[in-house]
Amino acid sequence: MTRIPLLLVGLALVFPATASARSCSSNEPGAGNLTARNVSCTKARIILNARLSGQTRPFNFTCKARPYEGGSTTTCTKGDRRVRFQIAD
């Protein structure tokens, strides 16, 4: 019985529960602060380019834009994967 809790603690240390968001570079003019969580930076750039070209659901990611003065912040999610970027007007 004492081995099961030790095994669970060991697995919790090996596999962290949350992944931190990573900052990715973007070559698109007017787009900035590209961050990706559980997505590679390459895939995040592809989603950004697809969204900027007018696709509403790039790669089945659901995208929501929140406007602010001078631009908008767009968050695209699919399960636990997330891509966030800002677009300046």
Side-chain angles (χ1 to χ4, degrees), residues 5-74:
L6 291 175
L7 177 65
L8 293 175
V9 169
L11 288 175
L13 293 174
V14 173
F15 300 106
T18 60
S20 63
R22 76 185 90 186
S23 180
C24 304
S25 63
S26 170
N27 296 332
E28 290 295 320
N33 293 336
L34 178 63
T35 59
R37 179 176 292 216
N38 294 329
V39 177
S40 68
C41 286
T42 303
K43 184 74 166 188
R45 283 186 211 99
I46 292 171
I47 292 169
L48 168 65
N49 291 334
R51 183 69 176 157
L52 291 177
S53 68
Q55 293 184 18
T56 56
R57 289 183 52 96
F59 302 98
N60 290 326
F61 276 74
T62 303
C63 298
K64 295 181 183 178
R66 292 189 313 183
Y68 62 88
E69 189 175 332
S72 66
T73 299
T74 302

